[in-house]
Amino acid sequence: MNGFFINIFRCRIKSWVISKDKPGNINSILNIFNRLSKYTTTAKSSSSITPVGNSLDSESVGLCNQVFDIISHSKNWDKNPSLLKLVPSITPLHVCNVLNNLNLDARTALGFFNWIESKKHRYKHDVKSYSCLLVLLIRAGLFSDAKSVRDLMIKSCGSAEEMLFVSDEVRRMKKYSEKKRFTLSLRCYNHLLMGLAKFNLIDEMEAVFIDMLIDKISPNNYTFNTMINVYCKVGKVMEARLYLSKMLRAGVTPETFTYTSLILGYCRNKDLGNARMMFKQIPEKGGRRSEAVYDTLIHGLGKYGHIDEAFELFRQMPDDGCHPTVHTYTILIDALCRLGRRSEAFNLFREMGEKGCHPNHHTYTTLIDCLCKEKKLEDAHKLFNEMSEKGLVIGVPTYNALIDGYCKEGKMDNAFTLWSLMESNGCNPETRTCNELINGLCKEKQVHKAMALFSKMRERCMSPSSITYNSLIQGQCRAGYFDNAFRLLMLMSEDDSEPDQWTYSMLIDTLFKEGKVEKGYAFFRSVKDKGTKANEAIFTALIDGHCKAGKIDIASSLLEEMITENCLPNSHTYNALINGLCKEKQIHKAAMLVEEMIEKGLEPTIFTHTNLIDELLKNGHSDEEALIIFERMLSSGIQPDVCTYTVFIHTYCIQGKLRKAEDMMVKMINKGVLPDVVTYNVLINGYGNLGSIDGAFVVLKRMFSARCRPSVATYSALLKHFINDTRVKERSNKDGGLVLAAASSSSMDISNVWKILDTETTLRFLKKMVEHGCTPNIDTYDSLIAGFCQGGRLEEAKNLAFYMNEIGLLPNEDIYTSLVGCCCKLGMYTEASTLLDNMVSCGHLPPLESYKVVVCGLYDEGNVEEAEEVFSRLLRGDYHKDEVAWTILVDGLHKKGHADRCSKLLDIMEEKGRQPNNQTYSMLVEGLPDGVII
């Protein structure tokens, strides 16, 4: 691969010779080319030493040699000061490579192996270290010690890959040990089978079972139960029953565990009839119905909606001498939560406490997860604190549930506080934890922070999944960094993470949203040419893109192509086409498509009905017609969402029917649907347009009370009406008469608010907010400063920032970002640079886009030294190194005509240890001016 990239650079250099471009640009290419060649050579030389496991750098090889010399030549090596100093640096990979030296004394090796684990906190040997030690012990004939180490190695496996490695090693060592003195006992075979069963490695278990028979070791009850249980866990009951037959033929009597496994298998297959029958037959077969039997069937019944029957079994337990355990209660609580019966779940939670059955961490996690899904985060956190107070060990699943809840609600500060707590309590985050945080950051358009977390994942050797990449790609798309989204697609291959259909659907959707219809369609064709089958998500993205571009005929033909390829359209597909038809005023065709949906067995969704309602109201149809569709929604069991209600409220506000709008607002709240910022904005504008500025402020107060954060648009609308109201009153006082406020409510367009608003009027507006019970908070100042900055009003924005500082409110990250952007818009790059420094000193991570504009602006001014200093300072942050290069170098300097500056900034990156990968080097050359590109 590295040779491929070098060839690209050679081609670029050759093209320069032909084009006779500027010397500055060819020097830039040559510098990058030489750097990549050096990087490639270094990479090759570092892999020339290949000890056991991963390759070691020269420093690590030196450490291994030091350890080996000390323990092999010193009698009291465990007291050696030099070895004690090395302990913090020793990893399982170092131990593995020390033990790989066959000249090491076996007993010394065993002593060192046990010593390092006891000496280093939280140290854990890996399976390859065990394997190297076993080789030494077997060669030395220390079979008793070897068997103990072998058992520990089996128990140490933490993944399917490790378990497969161990299984191969154990069987290989048995085969080649001298005089068959390292044979596997029945106990060892059973341990091996149990380890493999933990990861559902059924094929390997079959091979081990056959080895047992070849070795003439008779399987016992434990062996057969392990085989039966693993097949039942994956729902393969027929195979499990074959082992039951073997068990009976071998004269081994099935136990309660055997029948419990079979009930589990039937439940996994949704075959509740046979599960019930097996449950009834247990006493007839001489078995006993234990708590585990009851729990297994109760879980199956609860999972598939038979909750009442599950409770009947629960009440029947005492008849068989069984008592509900914490596991029984947790199963039922989980089933109730999944059915949305939260109050019943909490009643059962209280009941178990009253009956002396104490909830465990699984019980709490189930309830916390339920509360988070219902957006009751405060209640969820109270339960979390209760767990801690009771001394329960809080594990990764509990943290994940609460972190996910905060991320879904955009409360990223709370989520990261939990992350810090998790780490300080010695609970290591998983890939899933990072994925939840990355997804949350991307939804909040903080993709630079998501990419920084992505870097931390890599540093901690956590493998990013396709979910990680899909979240980042979607995040880059949401933030408008479309090129970065496609660059991430290229990075996926480095992590052996293949793009899936969802990845492609997001990128296709992005191309269409950017207006690149032809490129989007071409990308779709290239994906199909690679052999990737287009799924409903890809086709829906295509259809939606063409609809948004007004190409309804092509969208309709794509629907036909989709059906021809046996890819069934879903509700989202039809909704995209219905939305397109509605926008083209083809209501009749849209209605016909709804009928087609129903004929194909697809239920129209909230979105389908809301689209039709919206278009009917926009096109002057009576609200009675729209209400007919609304009532049809309700009668078909579809509950309208906030968008549906807002469409009606918006129409009533435009018509000046505030009473009807308020009635609809009451109706939605009574149905448990909470208004969002758009709903409130519509209502504020409605009151303002009627000249009721007090009514508009009352709505703002309701927003505050509902904890719905007002946006810049909210304050823009309010300020527009506030200014108009002030003007009307001033004119009225001047003329000595009354002027209707409503008559002048539209005298100023909303887009002019931030152009004419001054500091004095802003302070009066803030005072008016207080009078209406809306105490301005950090979000208020954030929105107001953002408005001023959008209008290029830097002085007013700074005055407001100074004022908020005076009253004890510190600017947040968004306020700093707005101020930096405004400075750059006005060409004040040095002041913007100072603001970035202030931002960092306050613990914020500025967006890379801000740095890009500042660095490019300083270069435009000829202020090279300061530009390089700003770039150096940004490298102290946690940014993803490739994203730094993409944003600053490729999208910044290259596109602004400063390609000759890239080499110097690359030098700075390397000095700071932030070297981009070779694909990014390639992008840098691809991004050079047209004269240099082939």
Side-chain angles (χ1 to χ4, degrees):
M1 183 62 77
N2 289 327
F4 170 74
F5 285 115
I6 289 174
N7 286 336
I8 289 177
F9 284 102
R10 284 179 178 141
C11 290
R12 297 295 178 270
I13 293 168
K14 184 179 178 182
S15 71
W16 171 81
V17 175
I18 295 169
S19 64
K20 298 180 182 179
D21 203 358
K22 296 176 184 178
N25 285 330
I26 187 60
N27 288 338
S28 179
I29 291 184
L30 284 168
N31 283 333
I32 297 170
F33 171 75
N34 291 333
R35 186 178 284 106
L36 181 60
S37 300
K38 181 182 175 183
Y39 171 67
T40 307
T41 307
T42 304
K44 285 182 179 176
S45 64
S46 69
S47 62
S48 60
I49 301 171
T50 313
V52 175
N54 300 322
S55 59
L56 292 173
D57 55 29
S58 56
E59 187 178 340
S60 293
V61 171
L63 187 148
C64 290
N65 288 335
Q66 277 183 274
V67 172
F68 177 78
D69 286 341
I70 292 168
I71 66 174
S72 59
H73 297 111
S74 173
K75 188 175 181 180
N76 296 317
W77 54 265
D78 54 329
K79 305 288 191 303
N80 190 299
S82 298
L83 182 60
L84 292 169
K85 284 181 183 176
L86 294 175
V87 167
S89 303
I90 295 174
T91 68
L93 184 59
H94 295 123
V95 172
C96 185
N97 283 278
V98 169
L99 298 179
N100 194 43
N101 193 320
L102 296 179
N103 294 321
L104 186 63
D105 175 72
R107 291 199 181 278
T108 302
L110 181 60
F112 171 69
F113 189 85
N114 293 329
W115 178 83
I116 188 65
E117 193 165 39
S118 66
K119 209 72 184 170
K120 191 170 180 182
H121 184 53
R122 289 183 188 164
Y123 179 89
K124 184 176 179 288
H125 288 299
D126 63 12
V127 291
K128 290 181 182 176
S129 303
Y130 280 105
S131 176
C132 291
L133 178 60
L134 276 173
V135 170
L136 290 173
L137 294 172
I138 293 168
R139 281 171 62 92
L142 301 175
F143 296 110
S144 179
D145 291 320
K147 287 174 182 177
S148 298
V149 169
R150 180 180 61 191
D151 288 346
L152 289 171
M153 178 171 70
I154 294 169
K155 289 177 184 176
S156 75
C157 293
S159 68
E161 291 75 17
E162 288 182 351
M163 197 61 233
L164 286 170
F165 171 82
V166 167
S167 180
D168 286 342
E169 285 293 280
V170 167
R171 289 154 71 199
R172 182 181 63 80
M173 288 176 183
K174 176 204 73 168
K175 192 179 291 185
Y176 295 108
S177 65
E178 294 178 14
K179 299 177 184 178
K180 303 290 182 184
R181 294 184 64 189
F182 197 59
T183 55
L184 301 186
S185 63
L186 174 61
R187 181 172 173 272
C188 186
Y189 267 119
N190 282 340
H191 280 176
L192 197 53
L193 286 170
M194 200 61 174
L196 293 164
K198 185 179 175 183
F199 303 102
N200 295 334
L201 298 169
I202 294 176
D203 291 342
E204 188 71 10
M205 288 178 72
E206 286 282 2
V208 170
F209 187 84
I210 291 168
D211 279 357
M212 282 183 73
L213 301 181
I214 292 170
D215 286 349
K216 297 180 180 179
I217 293 176
S218 299
N220 64 2
N221 206 311
Y222 190 94
T223 318
F224 284 115
N225 278 334
T226 303
M227 297 302 295
I228 290 168
N229 183 256
V230 74
Y231 275 114
C232 288
K233 273 201 302 184
V234 296
K236 294 185 176 181
V237 184
M238 291 298 293
E239 290 84 345
R241 290 196 73 96
L242 285 174
Y243 271 93
L244 178 62
S245 299
K246 291 177 183 179
M247 186 178 190
L248 293 169
R249 284 200 302 271
V252 179
T253 305
E255 302 172 321
T256 299
F257 182 82
T258 319
Y259 299 121
T260 306
S261 295
L262 289 165
I263 291 170
L264 173 68
Y266 286 126
C267 288
R268 291 278 162 93
N269 277 344
K270 301 183 185 179
D271 185 358
L272 297 179
N274 270 320
R276 292 184 189 103
M277 191 179 297
M278 178 61 69
F279 178 81
K280 287 176 183 176
Q281 290 175 354
I282 290 175
E284 298 167 15
K285 294 177 180 288
R288 174 186 168 270
R289 290 184 190 138
S290 65
E291 281 84 358
V293 174
Y294 271 99
D295 288 351
T296 304
L297 186 52
I298 286 171
H299 182 267
L301 291 167
K303 185 176 181 180
Y304 298 112
H306 300 266
I307 189 69
D308 294 333
E309 190 180 345
F311 269 100
E312 282 178 25
L313 272 184
F314 172 68
R315 287 187 284 270
Q316 180 187 318
M317 288 180 77
D319 297 342
D320 279 320
C322 296
H323 299 284
T325 63
V326 63
H327 184 54
T328 319
Y329 278 106
T330 303
I331 288 167
L332 287 165
I333 287 169
D334 181 54
L336 288 167
C337 287
R338 279 189 281 105
L339 290 169
R341 293 158 66 171
R342 179 173 51 83
S343 60
E344 292 173 70
F346 272 91
N347 287 338
L348 195 60
F349 175 67
R350 283 186 285 273
E351 179 189 310
M352 68 185 290
E354 290 164 4
K355 292 192 174 179
C357 185
H358 301 293
N360 62 13
H361 61 283
H362 293 298
T363 321
Y364 276 101
T365 302
T366 299
L367 290 167
I368 287 168
D369 187 51
C370 175
L371 289 167
C372 288
K373 282 173 179 164
E374 293 189 11
K375 302 180 182 180
K376 298 185 179 296
L377 296 175
E378 285 185 17
D379 292 336
H381 209 111
K382 282 178 186 174
L383 272 186
F384 179 85
N385 291 337
E386 190 178 304
M387 283 182 75
S388 185
E389 288 164 11
K390 289 188 174 181
L392 291 171
V393 176
I394 303 175
V396 174
T398 315
Y399 282 107
N400 282 351
L402 200 48
I403 285 172
D404 188 44
Y406 280 124
C407 289
K408 281 187 167 65
E409 288 301 296
K411 298 186 175 183
M412 299 311 300
D413 289 342
N414 301 73
F416 275 99
T417 299
L418 272 174
W419 162 282
S420 300
L421 181 65
M422 188 177 186
E423 290 190 308
S424 65
N425 287 338
C427 187
N428 295 321
E430 301 173 330
T431 298
R432 182 185 164 187
T433 320
C434 294
N435 284 347
E436 286 162 356
L437 288 162
I438 284 170
N439 192 38
L441 289 167
C442 289
K443 281 183 178 176
E444 293 298 302
K445 294 189 178 179
Q446 296 180 337
V447 70
H448 63 294
K449 291 184 179 178
M451 291 292 290
L453 185 54
F454 178 57
S455 290
K456 287 180 182 176
M457 281 181 75
R458 303 294 295 272
E459 287 166 11
R460 296 181 183 195
C461 299
M462 295 167 72
S463 300
S465 63
S466 59
I467 294 171
T468 317
Y469 275 105
N470 284 349
S471 293
L472 289 168
I473 287 169
Q474 191 171 38
Q476 296 284 4
C477 293
R478 275 198 186 116
Y481 307 140
F482 306 114
D483 290 338
N484 284 358
F486 280 91
R487 289 160 186 162
L488 277 166
L489 184 66
M490 291 193 290
L491 286 186
M492 285 184 83
S493 58
E494 290 189 6
D495 283 324
D496 296 323
S497 185
E498 289 298 319
D500 56 24
Q501 292 160 316
W502 300 107
T503 320
Y504 292 125
S505 69
M506 286 187 290
L507 292 168
I508 289 167
D509 186 54
T510 295
L511 287 167
F512 277 107
K513 281 178 179 171
E514 206 181 356
K516 298 177 179 177
V517 179
E518 290 180 8
K519 283 189 177 181
Y521 194 72
F523 182 63
F524 163 67
R525 290 297 169 199
S526 71
V527 167
K528 287 191 78 176
D529 291 343
K530 288 176 186 174
T532 302
K533 191 178 187 304
N535 67 348
E536 65 274 11
I538 292 176
F539 271 113
T540 300
L542 277 170
I543 289 167
D544 186 50
H546 281 96
C547 286
K548 283 185 169 67
K551 300 184 177 183
I552 301 295
D553 292 340
I554 297 176
S556 299
S557 67
L558 280 164
L559 181 65
E560 291 172 13
E561 181 182 339
M562 184 179 183
I563 295 167
T564 304
E565 293 190 11
N566 293 319
C567 181
L568 298 177
N570 58 22
S571 298
H572 299 295
T573 318
Y574 277 103
N575 285 339
L577 201 47
I578 289 165
N579 189 37
L581 288 166
C582 286
K583 281 185 167 38
E584 293 295 311
K585 315 299 179 192
Q586 298 180 34
I587 306 292
H588 179 65
K589 283 187 179 179
M592 286 175 64
L593 208 56
V594 173
E595 295 301 320
E596 185 181 316
M597 277 180 77
I598 296 168
E599 286 172 13
K600 291 183 181 293
L602 291 171
E603 288 292 328
T605 64
I606 298 170
F607 188 80
T608 318
H609 290 96
T610 303
N611 260 332
L612 291 171
I613 290 168
D614 190 31
E615 287 307 314
L616 283 170
L617 293 170
K618 275 182 184 174
N619 288 293
H621 292 260
S622 67
D623 60 339
E624 282 80 8
E625 292 176 77
L627 283 168
I628 290 169
I629 296 175
F630 184 80
E631 293 301 327
R632 193 185 300 162
M633 282 179 75
L634 294 171
S635 61
S636 61
I638 300 172
Q639 291 303 315
D641 65 4
V642 64
C643 296
T644 319
Y645 285 106
T646 302
V647 165
F648 279 105
I649 292 167
H650 182 243
T651 301
Y652 292 141
C653 285
I654 288 173
Q655 295 170 350
K657 299 175 181 177
L658 266 297
R659 173 51 57 198
K660 275 194 167 185
E662 287 286 11
D663 287 345
M664 189 59 81
M665 191 79 137
V666 170
K667 187 181 286 187
M668 72 183 285
I669 292 170
N670 288 341
K671 290 286 185 181
V673 179
L674 297 177
D676 64 9
V677 64
V678 178
T679 320
Y680 284 115
N681 288 355
V682 163
L683 205 53
I684 284 170
N685 227 15
Y687 277 103
N689 287 335
L690 286 179
S692 176
I693 189 67
D694 287 334
F697 272 103
V698 167
V699 177
L700 181 68
K701 167 66 175 169
R702 282 152 62 181
M703 280 187 86
F704 271 57
S705 299
R707 297 186 181 180
C708 179
R709 180 184 173 184
S711 62
V712 176
T714 313
Y715 288 108
S716 298
L718 261 172
L719 280 161
K720 169 196 166 182
H721 298 303
F722 178 74
I723 293 168
N724 284 335
D725 183 69
T726 303
R727 285 177 172 178
V728 167
K729 286 176 180 174
E730 286 172 354
R731 197 182 316 149
S732 177
N733 292 334
K734 185 179 179 181
D735 296 344
L738 293 174
V739 179
L740 288 176
S744 302
S745 63
S746 59
S747 61
M748 180 182 60
D749 190 81
I750 201 165
S751 60
N752 292 323
V753 168
W754 302 105
K755 294 176 185 175
I756 67 164
L757 183 66
D758 56 30
T759 305
E760 186 182 341
T761 305
T762 306
L763 294 178
R764 286 206 308 271
F765 175 78
L766 293 172
K767 186 179 177 183
K768 186 81 169 176
M769 282 180 64
V770 175
E771 288 172 8
H772 282 86
C774 306
T775 304
N777 55 26
I778 189 73
D779 293 333
T780 308
Y781 289 99
D782 180 6
S783 295
L784 295 175
I785 289 169
F788 277 126
C789 289
Q790 286 169 15
R793 308 280 301 285
L794 181 61
E795 282 309 308
E796 286 76 8
K798 285 165 65 177
N799 287 341
L800 203 53
F802 178 77
Y803 176 78
M804 64 177 284
N805 239 327
E806 288 287 294
I807 61 173
L809 286 175
L810 296 176
N812 63 12
E813 190 173 299
D814 292 333
I815 290 173
Y816 273 114
T817 302
S818 294
L819 291 169
V820 169
C822 192
C823 285
C824 292
K825 191 188 291 185
L826 299 172
M828 301 165 65
Y829 299 108
T830 301
E831 187 167 347
S833 169
T834 303
L835 280 168
L836 286 174
D837 288 344
N838 292 342
M839 197 172 175
V840 172
S841 66
C842 290
H844 301 304
L845 190 70
L848 278 171
E849 193 69 16
S850 298
Y851 275 115
K852 180 186 86 173
V853 178
V854 171
V855 169
C856 290
L858 289 168
Y859 273 129
D860 286 341
E861 291 179 343
N863 199 341
V864 175
E865 193 174 321
E866 190 175 349
E868 289 173 358
E869 179 57 32
V870 170
F871 186 74
S872 295
R873 291 199 298 268
L874 90 85
L875 292 176
R876 295 172 197 158
D878 294 323
Y879 302 101
H880 189 275
K881 60 183 185 297
D882 288 302
E883 195 184 27
V884 169
W886 300 340
T887 305
I888 310 295
L889 306 185
V890 180
D891 293 336
L893 296 179
H894 276 309
K895 289 182 180 176
K896 289 276 286 181
H898 296 297
D900 54 322
R901 304 293 185 185
C902 282
S903 184
K904 175 62 178 173
L905 296 193
L906 272 173
D907 285 337
I908 294 171
M909 286 188 77
E910 288 180 353
E911 286 166 14
K912 305 283 184 185
R914 305 299 299 275
Q915 183 167 337
N917 68 20
N918 45 18
Q919 287 198 19
T920 300
Y921 277 109
S922 177
M923 287 178 207
L924 284 167
V925 174
E926 293 285 352
L928 289 171
D930 292 339
V932 185
I933 303 300
I934 293 175

